[in-house]
Amino acid sequence: MSTSPRRRPAKSRCIDLALQGGGSHGAFTWGVLDALLEDGRLQIDGVSGTSAGAMNAAVLACGWARGGAVGAREALSEFWHALGGAPGCWGALAPPAGMPPSSPAWMFNRDQWPGFAMWESWLRQWSPYQLNPFNVDPLRDLVAAHVDEQALREGPLKVFVTATSVRTGQPHVFSGEELSIEALLASACLPQTAQTVVIDGEPYWDGGFSGNPALWPLIYGTQTDDVLLVQINPLVHEGIPRTAIEIADRLNELTFNASLVAEMRAIAFVQRLLRDKRVDPTRYKALRLHRVADEAGLAPFDASSKLNTDPRLLQTLFELGRAAATRWLTEEAAAVGQRSSLDVEAVFLAGRARPGNK
């Protein structure tokens, strides 16, 4: 296995990736990464990921260490195909009997299944320690089978994985020698469905509570000035949530976007100070920000589908991600190294998030 840095293609441009978490919706990010790697115009320097985004980052890095862009594409495909239908990963349940191979999006939303509300209500009475006292974790076995810790720590891509300290509520970013299978599981640990992950005596929960994804490690940990955010949690939700399930879904979206919105606002403030020459440009990066998203395409898949690992859902999300990345590559990739293609103030400050990449 080679872990030495690879020579960049003659016309490649360098970029960092920021990958959001969102359970099975991480298959959208798989599609985005597949299109970026196939295109080959952009050289990846660092990757920051949370939860499913951390899984994508780790598998990408390990595949890249083995075989460059081709190896990364193969590794991601193998991981997501192995996860498809795996029981217990992100709380997966079997799909309804008789569900056709090609199904409308709403059929992948678990809260639409008969008896789901009663089942969910019963589950909420118990903690993972009561329901799973032996801490059986299929996700651990899956991640261990697809992530080489040595390649993750020593490979050419810089990887940053965020988890939330249960004790302090603060984000902890694992990188370098700290990277491990346990760090990845900590980043994806939803306390309602999995037992707390303890690393060196410190308990951790899902990184989405404090950094989804964390952007500051890319600012301080790489030399690259371009950051591409792959966003899978919608910023805008049309209409008023009225049912208990709709309210819970919107709360889920707000919770897992809060840290990202806060970081984007801080970045916009610093960028404004740099433009106005009110801070020392040698101490702050003039970041160029980009985004791949498809809020309209992902809208039919509610929060309950994030816990559904049906292979048909993962394939559908993969195709949505590839299409979104292909649009971005066609319309905005030329901006890398030149300017931001994401209007941060319009999307994150004014609340006017658009349905596509901008």
Short mmCIF file of all heavy atoms in Angstrom, two decimals, residues 119-152:
data_model
loop_
_atom_site.label_atom_id
_atom_site.label_comp_id
_atom_site.label_asym_id
_atom_site.label_seq_id
_atom_site.Cartn_x
_atom_site.Cartn_y
_atom_site.Cartn_z
N TRP A 119 -44.45 1.70 16.81
CA TRP A 119 -43.13 1.12 17.03
C TRP A 119 -42.16 2.17 17.57
O TRP A 119 -41.44 1.93 18.54
CB TRP A 119 -42.61 0.53 15.72
CG TRP A 119 -41.17 0.09 15.72
CD1 TRP A 119 -40.14 0.73 15.13
CD2 TRP A 119 -40.63 -1.09 16.32
NE1 TRP A 119 -38.96 0.03 15.33
CE2 TRP A 119 -39.24 -1.09 16.06
CE3 TRP A 119 -41.19 -2.13 17.05
CZ2 TRP A 119 -38.40 -2.10 16.51
CZ3 TRP A 119 -40.34 -3.14 17.51
CH2 TRP A 119 -38.97 -3.11 17.23
N GLU A 120 -42.16 3.35 16.96
CA GLU A 120 -41.26 4.43 17.38
C GLU A 120 -41.61 4.89 18.79
O GLU A 120 -40.72 5.16 19.61
CB GLU A 120 -41.36 5.59 16.39
CG GLU A 120 -40.33 6.68 16.56
CD GLU A 120 -38.97 6.29 16.02
OE1 GLU A 120 -38.78 5.12 15.60
OE2 GLU A 120 -38.08 7.14 16.04
N SER A 121 -42.89 5.00 19.08
CA SER A 121 -43.33 5.42 20.41
C SER A 121 -42.86 4.42 21.48
O SER A 121 -42.41 4.82 22.56
CB SER A 121 -44.85 5.55 20.44
OG SER A 121 -45.30 5.89 21.72
N TRP A 122 -42.94 3.15 21.14
CA TRP A 122 -42.48 2.13 22.09
C TRP A 122 -40.97 2.21 22.29
O TRP A 122 -40.47 2.15 23.42
CB TRP A 122 -42.87 0.74 21.59
CG TRP A 122 -42.46 -0.36 22.52
CD1 TRP A 122 -43.12 -0.80 23.63
CD2 TRP A 122 -41.27 -1.16 22.42
NE1 TRP A 122 -42.42 -1.81 24.24
CE2 TRP A 122 -41.28 -2.06 23.52
CE3 TRP A 122 -40.21 -1.21 21.52
CZ2 TRP A 122 -40.26 -2.99 23.73
CZ3 TRP A 122 -39.20 -2.12 21.73
CH2 TRP A 122 -39.23 -3.00 22.82
N LEU A 123 -40.22 2.40 21.19
CA LEU A 123 -38.77 2.45 21.28
C LEU A 123 -38.29 3.61 22.15
O LEU A 123 -37.28 3.50 22.85
CB LEU A 123 -38.15 2.58 19.88
CG LEU A 123 -38.08 1.33 19.02
CD1 LEU A 123 -37.47 1.66 17.67
CD2 LEU A 123 -37.26 0.24 19.71
N ARG A 124 -38.99 4.73 22.10
CA ARG A 124 -38.56 5.93 22.83
C ARG A 124 -38.64 5.75 24.34
O ARG A 124 -38.14 6.57 25.09
CB ARG A 124 -39.41 7.12 22.39
CG ARG A 124 -39.06 7.63 21.00
CD ARG A 124 -39.96 8.75 20.56
NE ARG A 124 -39.67 9.17 19.20
CZ ARG A 124 -40.41 10.03 18.51
NH1 ARG A 124 -41.49 10.56 19.07
NH2 ARG A 124 -40.07 10.36 17.28
N GLN A 125 -39.28 4.68 24.78
CA GLN A 125 -39.35 4.43 26.21
C GLN A 125 -38.06 3.81 26.75
O GLN A 125 -37.87 3.72 27.96
CB GLN A 125 -40.52 3.48 26.52
CG GLN A 125 -41.88 3.99 26.10
CD GLN A 125 -42.96 2.98 26.40
OE1 GLN A 125 -43.21 2.65 27.56
NE2 GLN A 125 -43.62 2.47 25.37
N TRP A 126 -37.20 3.38 25.84
CA TRP A 126 -36.01 2.63 26.25
C TRP A 126 -34.75 3.29 25.68
O TRP A 126 -34.76 3.87 24.59
CB TRP A 126 -36.10 1.18 25.76
CG TRP A 126 -37.43 0.55 26.02
CD1 TRP A 126 -38.46 0.43 25.14
CD2 TRP A 126 -37.88 0.01 27.27
NE1 TRP A 126 -39.53 -0.18 25.75
CE2 TRP A 126 -39.21 -0.45 27.06
CE3 TRP A 126 -37.31 -0.16 28.53
CZ2 TRP A 126 -39.95 -1.04 28.06
CZ3 TRP A 126 -38.05 -0.76 29.52
CH2 TRP A 126 -39.36 -1.19 29.29
N SER A 127 -33.66 3.14 26.39
CA SER A 127 -32.37 3.64 25.91
C SER A 127 -31.64 2.51 25.19
O SER A 127 -31.99 1.33 25.35
CB SER A 127 -31.52 4.13 27.07
OG SER A 127 -30.89 3.03 27.73
N PRO A 128 -30.59 2.82 24.42
CA PRO A 128 -29.80 1.76 23.78
C PRO A 128 -29.17 0.80 24.78
O PRO A 128 -28.90 -0.35 24.45
CB PRO A 128 -28.72 2.54 23.01
CG PRO A 128 -29.30 3.90 22.83
CD PRO A 128 -30.15 4.16 24.03
N TYR A 129 -28.95 1.28 25.99
CA TYR A 129 -28.36 0.41 27.01
C TYR A 129 -29.35 -0.67 27.46
O TYR A 129 -28.96 -1.76 27.88
CB TYR A 129 -27.90 1.24 28.21
CG TYR A 129 -26.75 2.16 27.88
CD1 TYR A 129 -26.97 3.43 27.37
CD2 TYR A 129 -25.44 1.74 28.05
CE1 TYR A 129 -25.93 4.27 27.05
CE2 TYR A 129 -24.37 2.57 27.74
CZ TYR A 129 -24.63 3.84 27.23
OH TYR A 129 -23.58 4.65 26.91
N GLN A 130 -30.63 -0.35 27.38
CA GLN A 130 -31.66 -1.32 27.75
C GLN A 130 -32.02 -2.24 26.58
O GLN A 130 -32.20 -3.44 26.75
CB GLN A 130 -32.92 -0.58 28.23
CG GLN A 130 -32.71 0.21 29.51
CD GLN A 130 -33.86 1.15 29.79
OE1 GLN A 130 -34.22 1.97 28.95
NE2 GLN A 130 -34.43 1.06 30.98
N LEU A 131 -32.12 -1.65 25.38
CA LEU A 131 -32.50 -2.43 24.21
C LEU A 131 -31.35 -3.26 23.66
O LEU A 131 -31.58 -4.30 23.03
CB LEU A 131 -33.02 -1.50 23.11
CG LEU A 131 -34.37 -0.82 23.36
CD1 LEU A 131 -34.65 0.20 22.28
CD2 LEU A 131 -35.49 -1.85 23.42
N ASN A 132 -30.12 -2.80 23.87
CA ASN A 132 -28.95 -3.47 23.29
C ASN A 132 -27.85 -3.56 24.35
O ASN A 132 -26.79 -2.94 24.23
CB ASN A 132 -28.47 -2.68 22.06
CG ASN A 132 -27.33 -3.38 21.32
OD1 ASN A 132 -27.04 -4.55 21.55
ND2 ASN A 132 -26.68 -2.64 20.44
N PRO A 133 -28.09 -4.32 25.43
CA PRO A 133 -27.14 -4.33 26.56
C PRO A 133 -25.75 -4.86 26.20
O PRO A 133 -24.77 -4.50 26.86
CB PRO A 133 -27.83 -5.25 27.58
CG PRO A 133 -28.77 -6.09 26.79
CD PRO A 133 -29.25 -5.21 25.67
N PHE A 134 -25.64 -5.68 25.16
CA PHE A 134 -24.34 -6.21 24.77
C PHE A 134 -23.66 -5.34 23.71
O PHE A 134 -22.60 -5.69 23.20
CB PHE A 134 -24.49 -7.65 24.27
CG PHE A 134 -25.00 -8.60 25.32
CD1 PHE A 134 -26.31 -9.05 25.28
CD2 PHE A 134 -24.19 -8.99 26.37
CE1 PHE A 134 -26.80 -9.92 26.26
CE2 PHE A 134 -24.65 -9.86 27.35
CZ PHE A 134 -25.96 -10.31 27.30
N ASN A 135 -24.29 -4.22 23.37
CA ASN A 135 -23.73 -3.24 22.44
C ASN A 135 -23.33 -3.87 21.11
O ASN A 135 -22.24 -3.63 20.58
CB ASN A 135 -22.51 -2.55 23.07
CG ASN A 135 -22.17 -1.24 22.37
OD1 ASN A 135 -23.00 -0.66 21.65
ND2 ASN A 135 -20.95 -0.76 22.56
N VAL A 136 -24.23 -4.67 20.57
CA VAL A 136 -24.01 -5.25 19.24
C VAL A 136 -24.12 -4.10 18.22
O VAL A 136 -25.11 -3.39 18.18
CB VAL A 136 -25.05 -6.34 18.93
CG1 VAL A 136 -24.88 -6.86 17.52
CG2 VAL A 136 -24.95 -7.45 19.96
N ASP A 137 -23.09 -3.94 17.41
CA ASP A 137 -23.04 -2.78 16.50
C ASP A 137 -22.59 -3.22 15.10
O ASP A 137 -21.39 -3.29 14.83
CB ASP A 137 -22.08 -1.73 17.06
CG ASP A 137 -22.12 -0.43 16.28
OD1 ASP A 137 -22.86 -0.36 15.27
OD2 ASP A 137 -21.42 0.52 16.65
N PRO A 138 -23.54 -3.50 14.20
CA PRO A 138 -23.16 -3.90 12.83
C PRO A 138 -22.37 -2.82 12.11
O PRO A 138 -21.54 -3.15 11.24
CB PRO A 138 -24.52 -4.13 12.15
CG PRO A 138 -25.48 -4.38 13.27
CD PRO A 138 -25.00 -3.54 14.40
N LEU A 139 -22.59 -1.55 12.45
CA LEU A 139 -21.86 -0.48 11.78
C LEU A 139 -20.36 -0.57 12.08
O LEU A 139 -19.53 -0.30 11.22
CB LEU A 139 -22.41 0.88 12.20
CG LEU A 139 -21.82 2.10 11.50
CD1 LEU A 139 -22.04 2.03 10.00
CD2 LEU A 139 -22.41 3.40 12.06
N ARG A 140 -20.03 -0.98 13.31
CA ARG A 140 -18.61 -1.13 13.68
C ARG A 140 -17.93 -2.15 12.77
O ARG A 140 -16.83 -1.90 12.25
CB ARG A 140 -18.51 -1.56 15.14
CG ARG A 140 -17.07 -1.76 15.63
CD ARG A 140 -17.06 -2.34 17.04
NE ARG A 140 -17.75 -1.44 17.96
CZ ARG A 140 -17.16 -0.41 18.57
NH1 ARG A 140 -15.88 -0.17 18.34
NH2 ARG A 140 -17.85 0.36 19.39
N ASP A 141 -18.58 -3.29 12.57
CA ASP A 141 -17.99 -4.33 11.72
C ASP A 141 -17.85 -3.85 10.29
O ASP A 141 -16.85 -4.13 9.61
CB ASP A 141 -18.86 -5.60 11.76
CG ASP A 141 -18.90 -6.23 13.16
OD1 ASP A 141 -17.96 -6.00 13.94
OD2 ASP A 141 -19.88 -6.93 13.45
N LEU A 142 -18.86 -3.13 9.81
CA LEU A 142 -18.84 -2.64 8.43
C LEU A 142 -17.70 -1.64 8.23
O LEU A 142 -16.94 -1.72 7.26
CB LEU A 142 -20.18 -1.98 8.10
CG LEU A 142 -20.33 -1.46 6.68
CD1 LEU A 142 -20.45 -2.62 5.70
CD2 LEU A 142 -21.56 -0.57 6.56
N VAL A 143 -17.57 -0.69 9.16
CA VAL A 143 -16.52 0.32 9.05
C VAL A 143 -15.14 -0.34 9.15
O VAL A 143 -14.23 -0.02 8.37
CB VAL A 143 -16.69 1.41 10.13
CG1 VAL A 143 -15.51 2.37 10.12
CG2 VAL A 143 -17.98 2.17 9.90
N ALA A 144 -14.99 -1.27 10.08
CA ALA A 144 -13.70 -1.94 10.25
C ALA A 144 -13.29 -2.70 8.98
O ALA A 144 -12.10 -2.82 8.68
CB ALA A 144 -13.76 -2.89 11.44
N ALA A 145 -14.27 -3.21 8.25
CA ALA A 145 -13.98 -3.97 7.03
C ALA A 145 -13.56 -3.06 5.87
O ALA A 145 -12.95 -3.55 4.90
CB ALA A 145 -15.19 -4.80 6.63
N HIS A 146 -13.90 -1.78 5.95
CA HIS A 146 -13.66 -0.89 4.80
C HIS A 146 -12.72 0.27 5.10
O HIS A 146 -12.44 1.08 4.20
CB HIS A 146 -15.00 -0.34 4.29
CG HIS A 146 -15.87 -1.38 3.66
ND1 HIS A 146 -15.84 -1.66 2.31
CD2 HIS A 146 -16.77 -2.24 4.20
CE1 HIS A 146 -16.70 -2.64 2.05
NE2 HIS A 146 -17.28 -3.00 3.18
N VAL A 147 -12.23 0.38 6.33
CA VAL A 147 -11.33 1.47 6.68
C VAL A 147 -10.04 0.89 7.25
O VAL A 147 -10.04 0.15 8.23
CB VAL A 147 -11.97 2.42 7.72
CG1 VAL A 147 -10.95 3.45 8.20
CG2 VAL A 147 -13.18 3.12 7.11
N ASP A 148 -8.93 1.24 6.61
CA ASP A 148 -7.59 0.85 7.07
C ASP A 148 -7.05 2.00 7.91
O ASP A 148 -6.77 3.09 7.38
CB ASP A 148 -6.71 0.59 5.84
CG ASP A 148 -5.28 0.18 6.20
OD1 ASP A 148 -4.78 0.60 7.25
OD2 ASP A 148 -4.66 -0.54 5.41
N GLU A 149 -6.90 1.79 9.21
CA GLU A 149 -6.50 2.89 10.10
C GLU A 149 -5.14 3.47 9.72
O GLU A 149 -4.93 4.68 9.80
CB GLU A 149 -6.49 2.42 11.55
CG GLU A 149 -7.89 2.19 12.13
CD GLU A 149 -7.86 1.85 13.60
OE1 GLU A 149 -6.78 1.42 14.10
OE2 GLU A 149 -8.90 2.03 14.27
N GLN A 150 -4.20 2.63 9.29
CA GLN A 150 -2.88 3.15 8.91
C GLN A 150 -2.98 4.06 7.70
O GLN A 150 -2.39 5.15 7.67
CB GLN A 150 -1.92 2.00 8.61
CG GLN A 150 -0.51 2.48 8.25
CD GLN A 150 0.43 1.35 7.92
OE1 GLN A 150 0.07 0.17 8.01
NE2 GLN A 150 1.66 1.68 7.53
N ALA A 151 -3.75 3.64 6.70
CA ALA A 151 -3.92 4.47 5.50
C ALA A 151 -4.65 5.76 5.85
O ALA A 151 -4.35 6.82 5.31
CB ALA A 151 -4.69 3.69 4.44
N LEU A 152 -5.61 5.67 6.76
CA LEU A 152 -6.36 6.84 7.17
C LEU A 152 -5.46 7.87 7.83
O LEU A 152 -5.58 9.07 7.60
CB LEU A 152 -7.48 6.41 8.13
CG LEU A 152 -8.44 7.47 8.64
CD1 LEU A 152 -9.18 8.14 7.49
CD2 LEU A 152 -9.43 6.84 9.62
#
